[in-house]
PDB file of all heavy atoms in Angstrom:
ATOM      1  N   THR A  59      33.941  11.141 -23.987  1.00  0.00           N
ATOM      2  CA  THR A  59      32.668  11.839 -23.824  1.00  0.00           C
ATOM      3  C   THR A  59      31.723  11.408 -24.931  1.00  0.00           C
ATOM      4  O   THR A  59      32.144  10.976 -26.000  1.00  0.00           O
ATOM      5  CB  THR A  59      32.832  13.374 -23.855  1.00  0.00           C
ATOM      6  OG1 THR A  59      33.441  13.758 -25.086  1.00  0.00           O
ATOM      7  CG2 THR A  59      33.675  13.869 -22.685  1.00  0.00           C
ATOM      8  N   GLU A  60      30.464  11.555 -24.646  1.00  0.00           N
ATOM      9  CA  GLU A  60      29.421  11.226 -25.609  1.00  0.00           C
ATOM     10  C   GLU A  60      28.414  12.367 -25.597  1.00  0.00           C
ATOM     11  O   GLU A  60      27.935  12.767 -24.541  1.00  0.00           O
ATOM     12  CB  GLU A  60      28.751   9.919 -25.179  1.00  0.00           C
ATOM     13  CG  GLU A  60      27.653   9.454 -26.094  1.00  0.00           C
ATOM     14  CD  GLU A  60      27.053   8.153 -25.585  1.00  0.00           C
ATOM     15  OE1 GLU A  60      27.584   7.091 -25.950  1.00  0.00           O
ATOM     16  OE2 GLU A  60      26.082   8.218 -24.805  1.00  0.00           O
ATOM     17  N   ARG A  61      28.131  12.889 -26.773  1.00  0.00           N
ATOM     18  CA  ARG A  61      27.144  13.955 -26.915  1.00  0.00           C
ATOM     19  C   ARG A  61      25.926  13.376 -27.611  1.00  0.00           C
ATOM     20  O   ARG A  61      26.047  12.736 -28.649  1.00  0.00           O
ATOM     21  CB  ARG A  61      27.727  15.111 -27.731  1.00  0.00           C
ATOM     22  CG  ARG A  61      28.781  15.864 -26.964  1.00  0.00           C
ATOM     23  CD  ARG A  61      29.776  16.569 -27.891  1.00  0.00           C
ATOM     24  NE  ARG A  61      30.783  17.295 -27.155  1.00  0.00           N
ATOM     25  CZ  ARG A  61      31.850  16.776 -26.575  1.00  0.00           C
ATOM     26  NH1 ARG A  61      32.048  15.482 -26.637  1.00  0.00           N
ATOM     27  NH2 ARG A  61      32.716  17.518 -25.934  1.00  0.00           N
ATOM     28  N   ARG A  62      24.765  13.591 -27.002  1.00  0.00           N
ATOM     29  CA  ARG A  62      23.547  13.046 -27.589  1.00  0.00           C
ATOM     30  C   ARG A  62      22.391  14.020 -27.409  1.00  0.00           C
ATOM     31  O   ARG A  62      22.452  14.909 -26.563  1.00  0.00           O
ATOM     32  CB  ARG A  62      23.224  11.691 -26.982  1.00  0.00           C
ATOM     33  CG  ARG A  62      23.143  11.706 -25.487  1.00  0.00           C
ATOM     34  CD  ARG A  62      23.184  10.289 -24.908  1.00  0.00           C
ATOM     35  NE  ARG A  62      23.408  10.333 -23.491  1.00  0.00           N
ATOM     36  CZ  ARG A  62      22.468  10.543 -22.582  1.00  0.00           C
ATOM     37  NH1 ARG A  62      21.229  10.713 -22.937  1.00  0.00           N
ATOM     38  NH2 ARG A  62      22.766  10.581 -21.302  1.00  0.00           N
ATOM     39  N   LEU A  63      21.362  13.823 -28.185  1.00  0.00           N
ATOM     40  CA  LEU A  63      20.162  14.639 -28.072  1.00  0.00           C
ATOM     41  C   LEU A  63      19.175  13.959 -27.138  1.00  0.00           C
ATOM     42  O   LEU A  63      18.963  12.757 -27.227  1.00  0.00           O
ATOM     43  CB  LEU A  63      19.504  14.843 -29.434  1.00  0.00           C
ATOM     44  CG  LEU A  63      20.146  15.877 -30.344  1.00  0.00           C
ATOM     45  CD1 LEU A  63      19.430  15.889 -31.687  1.00  0.00           C
ATOM     46  CD2 LEU A  63      20.117  17.256 -29.719  1.00  0.00           C
ATOM     47  N   SER A  64      18.587  14.758 -26.258  1.00  0.00           N
ATOM     48  CA  SER A  64      17.537  14.279 -25.374  1.00  0.00           C
ATOM     49  C   SER A  64      16.392  15.264 -25.532  1.00  0.00           C
ATOM     50  O   SER A  64      16.425  16.355 -24.959  1.00  0.00           O
ATOM     51  CB  SER A  64      18.035  14.234 -23.931  1.00  0.00           C
ATOM     52  OG  SER A  64      17.003  13.823 -23.071  1.00  0.00           O
ATOM     53  N   GLY A  65      15.433  14.891 -26.349  1.00  0.00           N
ATOM     54  CA  GLY A  65      14.385  15.842 -26.709  1.00  0.00           C
ATOM     55  C   GLY A  65      15.010  16.916 -27.580  1.00  0.00           C
ATOM     56  O   GLY A  65      15.632  16.632 -28.595  1.00  0.00           O
ATOM     57  N   SER A  66      14.888  18.150 -27.160  1.00  0.00           N
ATOM     58  CA  SER A  66      15.484  19.249 -27.932  1.00  0.00           C
ATOM     59  C   SER A  66      16.813  19.714 -27.336  1.00  0.00           C
ATOM     60  O   SER A  66      17.408  20.671 -27.803  1.00  0.00           O
ATOM     61  CB  SER A  66      14.501  20.426 -27.988  1.00  0.00           C
ATOM     62  OG  SER A  66      14.269  20.905 -26.672  1.00  0.00           O
ATOM     63  N   ARG A  67      17.264  19.047 -26.278  1.00  0.00           N
ATOM     64  CA  ARG A  67      18.496  19.455 -25.600  1.00  0.00           C
ATOM     65  C   ARG A  67      19.637  18.491 -25.902  1.00  0.00           C
ATOM     66  O   ARG A  67      19.443  17.292 -26.012  1.00  0.00           O
ATOM     67  CB  ARG A  67      18.262  19.488 -24.083  1.00  0.00           C
ATOM     68  CG  ARG A  67      17.180  20.484 -23.701  1.00  0.00           C
ATOM     69  CD  ARG A  67      17.146  20.675 -22.245  1.00  0.00           C
ATOM     70  NE  ARG A  67      18.424  21.268 -21.844  1.00  0.00           N
ATOM     71  CZ  ARG A  67      18.664  21.711 -20.641  1.00  0.00           C
ATOM     72  NH1 ARG A  67      17.757  21.628 -19.709  1.00  0.00           N
ATOM     73  NH2 ARG A  67      19.833  22.233 -20.344  1.00  0.00           N
ATOM     74  N   ARG A  68      20.812  19.072 -25.993  1.00  0.00           N
ATOM     75  CA  ARG A  68      22.026  18.266 -26.137  1.00  0.00           C
ATOM     76  C   ARG A  68      22.531  17.918 -24.747  1.00  0.00           C
ATOM     77  O   ARG A  68      22.618  18.777 -23.886  1.00  0.00           O
ATOM     78  CB  ARG A  68      23.101  19.049 -26.886  1.00  0.00           C
ATOM     79  CG  ARG A  68      22.784  19.252 -28.347  1.00  0.00           C
ATOM     80  CD  ARG A  68      23.898  20.007 -29.024  1.00  0.00           C
ATOM     81  NE  ARG A  68      25.182  19.395 -28.761  1.00  0.00           N
ATOM     82  CZ  ARG A  68      25.896  18.729 -29.669  1.00  0.00           C
ATOM     83  NH1 ARG A  68      25.460  18.622 -30.882  1.00  0.00           N
ATOM     84  NH2 ARG A  68      27.053  18.204 -29.354  1.00  0.00           N
TER      85      ARG A  68
END
Side-chain angles (χ1 to χ4, degrees):
T59 58
E60 180 180 272
R61 289 155 180 79
R62 54 195 167 82
L63 282 176
S64 178
S66 63
R67 299 190 64 172
R68 290 181 51 109

